[in-house]
Amino acid sequence: MDENAVVTLDIGGCTTTTTTTAPTSLFYHGRHVQYIEKLSVALNSTKSYEGAVTEHLRMSGIYWTYAALSLLVSPEQADSILGVHCCSRPSNDEKTDQDYRPSIVEWVYRCFDERSGGFGGNIGHDGHLLYTLSAVQILAMANTEISQEKREAVIQFVVSLQQQDGSFSGDQWGEIDTRFTYCALCTLSLLKALDRVDVSQAVEYIASCQNLDGGFGSMKGAESHAGQVFCCVGALSIAKSLHKINHPDLLGWWLAERQVDSGGLNGRPEKQADVCYSWWILSVMTIIGRVDWISKDKLASFIAKAQDPEDGGIADRPEDMPDVFHTFFGIAGLSLLGKLPDSFRKIDPVYALPVDVVVRCGLSSQILAVKDSE
Amino acid sequence: MMAMAALNDAMIPIEDLSQVFSDMTPLPQNDGSDRVCVIQYPTAFALAYNYMRAIWQSKEMSQRALKLTATCAKLNPANYTVWHYRRQCLKDLGLASNEDAVRQDLALAAALGGPNPKNYQIWYHRRALLETHGVKELFCRLELDYIKDVLREDAKNYHAWSYRQWILEAVDDEELWKEEMDFASTLIDEDIRNNSAWNQRWFVVHRGKQDGKPLSMNEARLEADFAIDKGISVDPYNESSCRYLLSILKEQLLEGEHDLAKKLVEEHEAKVSNLRLAFEKTNQDPGKCVNLTATWIDLLEMMGDKESLQKAVSLAKGQATEHDRIRTKYWLFRAKQLQNGIDE
């Protein structure tokens, strides 16, 4: 991949209130590949402080990295760059000769927590739904079939976390959040085991977390928040229960109202725009068929301005430092907006995986037809 | 607030680690490569966590293990496995239901979280302690005060609000609900744009229960008036107060007594219409206040008569073509939907 590879985004020559040094209409995908490559090596280094303070969530970090790269290069290239199937050479500052890092797939399996039956954020960590989902997503992208034994252990782990009211806790300690309903249903769907939990009860719980402004929160009574909206609507989509959204037009409008003058999207009223909402909100609007209700060009322009044209990567907003989380969601956002060339792989709005992976795995979800003014 | 001395007592100083754990071999983070030796700089972080991993492997539950979890939580408060292990130690040592120990752990979590903690683990630790021990009166007050301190730093901290809601519902005390109403009102006074405070007001006025019971008509009127008098009149550009008004009215239409609800809608449509007139009186174009127009459109739709709907269609088209062009397609859809309502 040529590090200087760029693509011109079609944003219709729109202007917004933000002025930055980066041109608004170029997408530096060559630099982004370089950024991702450098970052994954850096985090693995034993000298990295950043790596040390994020080691507990490395599973999700790898998922964001792998998914982001998958939208930029072919599956073979992504696998090769990250060492998904083959072990890779360690970074230059390692002195030993014979040691190789394990492949990503091998490392994922090492994160399996026997005691709980789930996957932890890194080797030695307790199993948790968040990292179990990331693990299963990584294996799906890697086209690796999980063993029967582990599959059953993971299913039982997820099943054990469903509460009486249909909600899910993140692990055996009991924290409840609608994020975990999404993690549970998405994991089980990927393992073709959705029928092992009480889906209708799960749906009832999600439905009860709807607020009268049309949005969803982390639990009943909690303030509507775009991230939680994604988790709730994503879960309903997997459960083919979008009819449980009481006021889809109102939800669509609440989401459309997240777009501010800069073109970016915020997560709640009167908060700052953040690139990651390009994913949380756009995916929901795609699922409910109302993505035209925002200005796609202005949003694309906002994401483009948040890129680092020198070193690659995308930040939460223009002029800030990039990180892999926002890089993934920024690229995913541009993909959903249809702004990337057709030759690039597309992302599925429900499973947050490349569409070809979703098709290959035979996954299904519910997407509403586009609502327009015609 | 936990004193420095108490915080230090709860942890093992980095310089003492090797001595306190002289019987154990520190374990570096396994990266899956099965390397015989791993070169690592002996940073404080690496040392503490290497001993933590050794403890996890040995499954030792002891005072020194408990203190080590505090050392490690200070270095990385988001490490969920550290917090899990801490709670396991507390349980094993018989401290989980000990009032003093719980109080100390709440203070420790506060000290480690800083003025505005935004990690899930540290908030859940507080809840887990109280779920085990029981949200008794003493802790309830202490916790509400703690959350207030955090909200002073960041009045929109989502974790703080979720935890606050859980406590109020768990205790379900009328005095506390009344105090909370005052608290939410104060926050709205301080920052009318604090959507979390408006959400809290909704939560409190419904006494937290999500059993679908609507407010009484009297309560609804008070709330609708509050939304206008303390919200929309003060800052018509603010989204939160508009949504609050519409939610109150919608709840009455959907679940209250329909005729009374309609009357309430009419009263407030008139008030919003007057607010728009106020713009004109000062030679300003009310159309520029997109929120107010959107609210008026919703109210006209609720009124449902032909004249109101026609007005709403015209306003929606104005939003689409002139005042809220970033959402043109939404407003065109809305205009069409309203038009369909007239044609039917």
Side-chain angles (χ1 to χ4, degrees), chain B residues 160-231:
Chain B
W161 283 114
S162 301
Y163 183 55
R164 196 171 182 84
Q165 287 192 346
W166 173 71
I167 292 181
L168 288 165
E169 264 199 308
V171 178
D172 194 16
D173 175 84
E174 190 54 32
E175 229 9 84
L176 282 182
W177 284 121
K178 291 201 169 98
E179 285 176 30
E180 189 68 9
M181 194 60 158
D182 290 339
F183 179 57
S185 301
T186 305
L187 287 180
I188 290 172
D189 268 339
E190 286 171 8
D191 178 8
I192 212 171
R193 295 177 182 207
N194 186 341
N195 196 63
S196 308
W198 284 98
N199 185 73
Q200 188 71 347
R201 191 180 172 97
W202 177 274
F203 179 79
V204 171
V205 84
H206 286 84
R207 291 300 184 262
K209 291 177 178 46
Q210 299 295 302
D211 53 11
K213 286 212 187 87
L215 296 181
S216 70
M217 180 47 63
N218 283 337
E219 286 169 326
R221 174 165 285 111
L222 279 169
E223 290 308 299
D225 288 346
F226 179 89
I228 299 260
D229 299 335
K230 296 286 189 175

Side-chain angles (χ1 to χ4, degrees), chain A residues 104-355:
Chain A
I104 298 250
V105 168
E106 234 176 274
W107 174 85
V108 166
Y109 280 124
R110 295 290 287 264
C111 296
F112 179 73
D113 171 32
E114 295 280 349
R115 207 181 35 88
S116 63
F119 286 87
N122 207 322
I123 300 173
H125 279 271
D126 295 341
H128 194 287
L129 259 186
L130 292 170
Y131 309 117
T132 302
L133 173 61
S134 294
V136 168
Q137 285 172 313
I138 291 166
L139 295 176
M141 284 190 281
N143 198 2
T144 300
E145 184 109 15
I146 192 171
S147 73
Q148 257 306 103
E149 202 187 307
K150 283 213 168 46
R151 178 181 174 273
E152 186 55 31
V154 169
I155 292 168
Q156 286 186 28
F157 171 63
V158 178
V159 168
S160 75
L161 299 175
Q162 187 166 32
Q163 310 299 306
Q164 277 221 318
D165 62 359
S167 65
F168 282 86
S169 60
D171 58 26
Q172 285 131 347
W173 287 96
E175 183 191 359
I176 310 283
D177 190 312
T178 49
R179 289 180 295 143
F180 303 142
T181 305
Y182 174 77
C183 290
L185 297 191
C186 195
T187 299
L188 290 177
S189 182
L190 280 158
L191 296 177
K192 303 285 169 72
L194 208 46
D195 56 341
R196 296 283 294 268
V197 287
D198 188 342
V199 176
S200 61
Q201 196 62 36
V203 163
E204 285 310 312
Y205 180 74
I206 293 290
S208 76
C209 297
Q210 272 179 106
N211 296 316
L212 269 182
D213 57 11
F216 293 80
S218 59
M219 54 204 91
K220 292 185 205 185
E223 191 185 355
S224 297
H225 183 295
Q228 311 290 156
V229 172
F230 167 75
C231 294
C232 291
V233 174
L236 290 177
S237 171
I238 293 170
K240 313 263 177 69
S241 302
L242 290 174
H243 61 278
K244 284 297 196 178
I245 301 174
N246 291 333
H247 311 284
D249 288 338
L250 185 59
L251 173 59
W253 181 49
W254 188 87
L255 293 168
E257 284 279 294
R258 297 306 107 239
Q259 189 162 35
V260 296
D261 289 341
S262 66
L265 304 173
N266 63 26
R268 306 179 254 170
E270 306 293 348
K271 296 280 280 177
Q272 277 196 294
D274 184 318
V275 158
C276 68
Y277 294 113
S278 313
W279 168 259
W280 308 122
I281 291 175
L282 275 197
S283 52
V284 175
M285 293 188 100
T286 306
I287 293 167
I288 65 173
R290 288 151 166 93
V291 75
D292 285 343
W293 287 5
I294 55 155
S295 164
K296 293 184 190 172
D297 288 346
K298 286 194 163 183
L299 178 58
S301 163
F302 178 82
I303 300 171
K305 284 176 192 164
Q307 298 176 96
D308 181 336
E310 294 292 314
D311 298 324
I314 303 180
D316 56 354
R317 57 187 67 90
E319 306 299 316
D320 278 356
M321 284 282 290
D323 59 60
V324 74
F325 177 84
H326 289 95
T327 300
F328 170 51
F329 290 119
I331 297 171
L334 288 173
S335 173
L336 283 179
L337 286 169
K339 295 298 184 186
L340 299 180
D342 286 338
S343 54
F344 283 46
R345 292 162 86 188
K346 301 243 180 310
I347 190 148
D348 178 86
V350 178
Y351 289 94
L353 292 168
V355 169

Side-chain angles (χ1 to χ4, degrees), chain A residues 99 125-126 173 223 256 258, chain B residues 35 80-81 124 158 239 327:
Chain A
D99 47 18
H125 279 271
D126 295 341
W173 287 96
E223 191 185 355
R258 297 306 107 239
Chain B
R35 282 186 273 188
Y80 69 103
T81 306
Y124 187 67
Y158 199 83
E239 209 183 315
R327 279 166 279 269

